Amino acid sequence: MASTALSRALRPSSSLTNLVRSPHRLRSHVPHTPPSRLFHAQSLRQYVHGSEFQPIVPPSPSSLGKPQPAKTYRRTRKWLRRLFYLSLITGTIYVFDTQFYAASLTRTARTFSLGLLVALDYKINFRPNPPLAGSIADVHNRNAQRLSDLLRHNGGLYLKIGQAIAMQSAILPPEFQKMFARMFDDAPQNDWKDVEKVIREDFGKSAEEVFGVSFSGDPDKGVMERVARASASVAQVHWARLADGREVAIKIQKREIARQIEWDLWAFKVVTWIYSKVFDIPFYSLVPYISERLFLETDFANEADNSENMAKFVAGESRLRDRVYIPKVFRELSSRRVMTAEWVEGIRLWDKDSITRPWRGGWRQGSPGCGGTPLDFPKTKQSPSPSALAARRSSHKIKPERDEWRGRNGRGGLGLSLKEVMTTMVDLFSAQMFLWGLVHCDPHPGNIFIRRKPNGHSELVLIDHGLYIHMNPAFRHQYALFWKSLLTFDNDTIGSIVSDWGVNNADIFASATLLKPYRGGNMSTQQGIERLSKSERAQRQYELQQASRKAVREILGDEDKWPRQLIFIGRNLRIVQGNNQFLGSPVNRIKITGLWASRALVESPELPLLEKVRNLGRHLLFRAVLFSSDIFFYFTKVRQFLHLGGGMEDDLEAQMASVAKDMGVELNHSVFEG
């Protein structure tokens, strides 16, 4: 009964059913609705149901297709995680590298990436008509700029490597020659806090304790300048006056060099190996020797040894001891990264005007510190005033300038002969090569000072003894004989010697040694290019640069036989030639060098007595043969005096440029240009 009652309650009434089935009946039971509202209701009902009286029916499962999983963005999150971890690792390595390794890893990565870019550029575009460049010159220009930016950005040993390449840049395209000519600019100096850290790390004490100086004006102690007087790629030099009155030059290695050098040299070896394979130039075997020399250059104990050995050689040579001076080294104030030497007042070789202007320093007086002339420095035991103390603390330069010898108007000079200065220089480096076998390989103008002695003659001061090579007696005698044979056109002897050295082309090597054309053998020259089309000029330029690469291979020849010392001997000869040319070619450099080579074969103590006697007779004949060289030299001097041409070195440079161009090498700038 209960169920029956419930079903009746839930069953719709008949009247309601009739209303739903017959909507017109519904209208009669509801109040009257305005037409506008009725239209709106009908429209809404049609919009909701899709048709006027269709019931809402859910879609069937089959019509919905396969189910789609909800988006989880797993791949995006995975790559974001990877990017985050990579950034975290890279940042950590960068911070660690910067703080503890002086950015060595960053510099190496920069080197490898740029090396790969340059190698690919040349592999693709080094051809007569480059697909991605207008010409081969454009390829050289952009890669020279890339290399220049790398060397300057990395700094440190990279600048030193750039300077080493600069001296041999004649074998490179002219775009690279111009870039490397700028490698001799002063490098930026480190802050005093870094300098002080190096001193404390090497000595275990502060700069004040090591050198006995005071930065607060204590009159019982010495003084020191915190700002460097000169800054190079590896070190910078500070002036100081010790408590006992001695003035010293304190050379302090830049703090980052010790942490960078091994990475830098390793990167240099790897890049050189890759390039020697890519460009088929066999110079990688020379890299270990070059790296060893560069590494030794950062060891100031080695530099002190070289300086003292050179001072002994000069003191034992009567022809040089009164013309050359090597500053004393104070070992008790020196370490592997700090070298303290005697301070020298002098004129740099590049200041030609100051060397030659009239002397106004007084009769029988020399320049400051030369030949017994004292370095005047006002020293007082009286306590300075507070204002003086403040001035000293804030002053960057304490050393007196000492330029009274220039006269009241400051237009005076040393009053010296450039011929005398240059003769001393050629004599010194010739004696190093042929007599002593200990060769200073960085004699550029910044490392040479000129002073005036009380007797009115010049004195050459040689500094920076880090880059040296040693020649054993056998090689030294062979090299002296080679030079002598060059000047007597003894082609058989030349051929025999260069064959022992593994050189395949004697004439090219002879020209590179003399720094003038040598045609004692069968070297042929070609005529210039006349009226070639653009495509023919491009092809010709490509062929010349291919010939240049071939010439390098012929000079290097057998890598196992090639004497490694020749790399730096050639550097020395090139710089000395550049010095002579810069000063206006005042001396016959080739003749002086040849005389020392011939003289060494007579004076060398390692040679047997009988051979020395025979060489003496040949030496007298050799002097007569060199008379023809003097004729050409004095001809150029007269022409130079009449303003009709340049000096002898200018002529030789022009001749070398002509011959070198036929071998694909363009010599179009002075060694110290820029």
Side-chain angles (χ1 to χ4, degrees):
M1 291 295 292
S3 60
T4 306
L6 180 63
S7 61
R8 286 178 179 176
L10 295 174
R11 182 185 306 160
S13 64
S14 59
S15 59
L16 181 62
T17 304
N18 292 334
L19 286 173
V20 171
R21 289 179 179 176
S22 305
H24 61 278
R25 292 182 181 181
L26 180 64
R27 297 191 191 102
S28 62
H29 289 82
V30 298
H32 176 74
T33 304
S36 60
R37 290 188 178 182
L38 182 63
F39 176 78
H40 178 71
Q42 291 176 348
S43 300
L44 181 63
R45 195 163 56 244
Q46 288 179 355
Y47 173 78
V48 172
H49 295 281
S51 62
E52 187 174 359
F53 298 113
Q54 289 291 331
I56 300 175
V57 179
S60 64
S62 60
S63 67
L64 295 177
K66 294 182 179 180
Q68 297 289 334
K71 279 195 172 186
T72 60
Y73 299 97
R74 291 180 182 176
R75 182 176 298 178
T76 303
R77 288 203 298 265
K78 182 174 69 173
W79 281 106
L80 285 175
R81 273 198 310 270
R82 289 178 178 177
L83 181 62
F84 172 74
Y85 291 144
L86 179 62
S87 301
L88 181 63
I89 294 171
T90 304
T92 303
I93 292 175
Y94 176 78
V95 172
F96 187 80
D97 178 43
T98 304
Q99 294 298 319
F100 299 101
Y101 285 95
S104 298
L105 296 176
T106 306
R107 290 148 52 89
T108 302
R110 189 183 299 128
T111 301
F112 284 165
S113 59
L114 184 131
L116 179 61
L117 176 63
V118 172
L120 288 174
D121 194 358
Y122 274 103
K123 204 66 180 175
I124 295 171
N125 294 305
F126 189 67
R127 55 196 67 197
N129 297 295
L132 302 179
S135 65
I136 294 178
D138 295 333
V139 179
H140 292 327
N141 266 321
R142 68 179 176 228
N143 286 301
Q145 187 58 49
R146 287 168 178 164
L147 184 56
S148 176
D149 293 342
L150 173 71
L151 296 177
R152 294 187 180 279
H153 197 166
N154 280 359
L157 201 66
Y158 279 79
L159 286 176
K160 181 64 66 177
I161 293 172
Q163 291 171 3
I165 298 173
M167 289 295 94
Q168 312 297 333
S169 64
I171 65 174
L172 299 175
E175 294 79 11
F176 282 88
Q177 294 179 29
K178 294 174 184 176
M179 184 273 291
F180 277 114
R182 300 190 296 269
M183 287 293 106
F184 293 97
D185 297 339
D186 280 348
Q189 61 176 275
N190 284 10
D191 294 334
W192 174 252
K193 62 180 181 179
D194 292 321
V195 172
E196 202 164 26
K197 285 179 182 178
V198 171
I199 296 172
R200 189 174 289 277
E201 288 169 0
D202 275 28
F203 293 96
K205 296 183 290 186
S206 66
E208 294 95 324
E209 295 173 294
V210 173
F211 302 108
V213 299
S214 171
F215 296 113
S216 59
D218 187 341
D220 294 322
K221 294 185 178 181
V223 291
M224 181 178 180
E225 291 181 346
R226 296 184 182 183
V227 177
R229 285 274 166 169
S231 179
S233 54
V234 170
Q236 57 193 55
V237 177
H238 293 255
W239 174 89
R241 179 178 62 85
L242 306 181
D244 59 8
R246 290 177 297 173
E247 293 190 23
V248 295
I250 305 174
K251 183 176 181 180
I252 303 168
Q253 189 176 117
K254 295 181 176 178
R255 189 164 182 260
E256 64 273 13
I257 296 298
R259 291 172 289 175
Q260 293 173 347
I261 183 168
E262 292 187 2
W263 280 98
D264 290 351
L265 290 178
W266 177 76
F268 174 58
K269 290 178 182 178
V270 173
V271 171
T272 307
W273 181 83
I274 294 173
Y275 273 57
S276 65
K277 298 299 181 184
V278 171
F279 297 107
D280 190 26
I281 300 178
F283 55 75
Y284 178 70
S285 61
L286 309 178
V287 170
Y289 183 79
I290 297 173
S291 299
E292 180 189 7
R293 297 298 102 192
L294 293 175
F295 185 81
L296 284 174
E297 197 171 357
T298 63
D299 181 358
F300 291 174
N302 173 70
E303 180 174 351
D305 291 339
N306 292 334
S307 179
E308 291 176 345
N309 290 332
M310 184 53 57
K312 291 176 183 176
F313 278 124
V314 170
E317 175 56 63
S318 60
R319 289 163 292 194
L320 290 169
R321 72 166 66 102
D322 294 327
R323 299 191 288 153
V324 176
Y325 187 78
I326 309 297
K328 298 179 181 67
V329 177
F330 302 114
R331 289 281 190 167
E332 69 277 10
L333 300 176
S334 301
S335 65
R336 292 181 65 86
R337 293 189 296 168
V338 178
M339 192 182 80
T340 305
E342 174 187 4
W343 179 268
V344 171
E345 294 279 348
I347 298 298
R348 301 271 188 176
L349 187 68
W350 58 51
D351 192 353
K352 184 164 53 174
D353 288 341
S354 294
I355 295 174
T356 56
R357 283 175 183 168
W359 171 252
R360 297 180 181 177
W363 173 252
R364 305 297 293 178
Q365 292 289 318
S367 54
C370 181
T373 304
L375 291 176
D376 56 329
F377 191 94
K379 185 177 179 182
T380 177
K381 292 293 183 180
Q382 297 178 355
S383 298
S385 63
S387 59
L389 280 174
R392 182 168 290 183
R393 289 191 192 102
S394 61
S395 174
H396 294 306
K397 293 187 177 181
I398 307 171
K399 186 187 79 66
E401 293 304 320
R402 301 189 180 96
D403 54 359
E404 295 82 4
W405 54 272
R406 291 181 179 271
R408 282 181 293 181
N409 57 7
R411 297 181 58 83
L414 297 180
L416 298 174
S417 161
L418 293 178
K419 178 179 180 180
E420 183 178 89
V421 169
M422 199 64 216
T423 300
T424 300
M425 186 186 306
V426 180
D427 284 344
L428 172 62
F429 295 117
S430 297
Q432 290 180 0
M433 283 187 288
F434 303 124
L435 275 183
W436 306 331
L438 185 66
V439 185
H440 186 298
C441 298
D442 201 15
H444 68 80
N447 288 337
I448 296 173
F449 288 99
I450 305 300
R451 303 195 296 188
R452 179 189 173 97
K453 300 179 69 176
N455 61 9
H457 290 288
S458 63
E459 182 178 67
L460 185 148
V461 181
L462 185 63
I463 65 170
D464 197 351
H465 300 268
L467 186 57
Y468 269 71
I469 59 148
H470 297 262
M471 304 167 67
N472 61 56
F475 175 64
R476 178 160 46 85
H477 299 152
Q478 199 175 36
Y479 191 67
L481 181 59
F482 173 69
W483 254 91
K484 184 176 179 180
S485 301
L486 287 176
L487 299 183
T488 56
F489 294 95
D490 186 353
N491 297 319
D492 292 337
T493 302
I494 293 172
S496 174
I497 292 174
V498 299
S499 177
D500 290 343
W501 292 345
V503 177
N504 294 334
N505 191 315
D507 288 346
I508 295 177
F509 183 73
S511 297
T513 302
L514 287 171
L515 297 171
K516 76 166 191 174
Y518 182 86
R519 297 187 178 89
N522 297 316
M523 180 186 292
S524 61
T525 58
Q526 301 174 3
Q527 298 298 321
I529 307 170
E530 296 181 2
R531 296 186 180 180
L532 295 179
S533 66
K534 183 177 180 180
S535 61
E536 289 173 331
R537 283 198 301 271
Q539 180 66 31
R540 174 62 172 165
Q541 185 181 20
Y542 174 73
E543 291 173 353
L544 286 175
Q545 297 195 7
Q546 289 289 73
S548 172
R549 188 162 61 176
K550 180 181 177 183
V552 173
R553 286 198 298 266
E554 288 183 342
I555 289 178
L556 292 176
D558 189 338
E559 298 175 72
D560 296 329
K561 294 181 179 179
W562 212 81
R564 305 302 190 250
Q565 297 93 330
L566 290 174
I567 304 169
F568 292 100
I569 291 174
R571 172 187 171 94
N572 176 288
L573 292 171
R574 176 61 173 148
I575 297 178
V576 171
Q577 185 217 23
N579 290 336
N580 192 33
Q581 187 174 5
F582 176 75
L583 296 180
S585 305
V587 300
N588 187 346
R589 172 186 56 86
I590 293 176
K591 175 190 172 183
I592 297 173
T593 307
L595 282 173
W596 276 93
S598 180
R599 190 184 294 135
L601 295 173
V602 178
E603 300 177 2
S604 181
E606 298 90 358
L607 292 174
L609 179 61
L610 185 59
E611 185 175 353
K612 291 166 71 173
V613 172
R614 285 200 300 265
N615 288 339
L616 177 60
R618 294 167 182 165
H619 175 66
L620 297 175
L621 180 61
F622 178 71
R623 293 184 67 96
V625 170
L626 288 182
F627 180 70
S628 60
S629 175
D630 273 337
I631 294 176
F632 174 65
F633 172 72
Y634 286 112
F635 166 74
T636 59
K637 293 303 292 181
V638 171
R639 187 185 60 188
Q640 190 178 21
F641 177 76
L642 297 175
H643 302 288
L644 299 176
M648 182 179 184
E649 297 288 4
D650 297 313
D651 272 12
L652 297 181
E653 182 102 353
Q655 293 175 29
M656 274 296 290
S658 176
V659 173
K661 193 167 186 178
D662 292 322
M663 297 185 293
V665 177
E666 291 193 39
L667 302 176
N668 59 358
H669 77 288
S670 170
V671 66
F672 298 120
E673 180 181 322

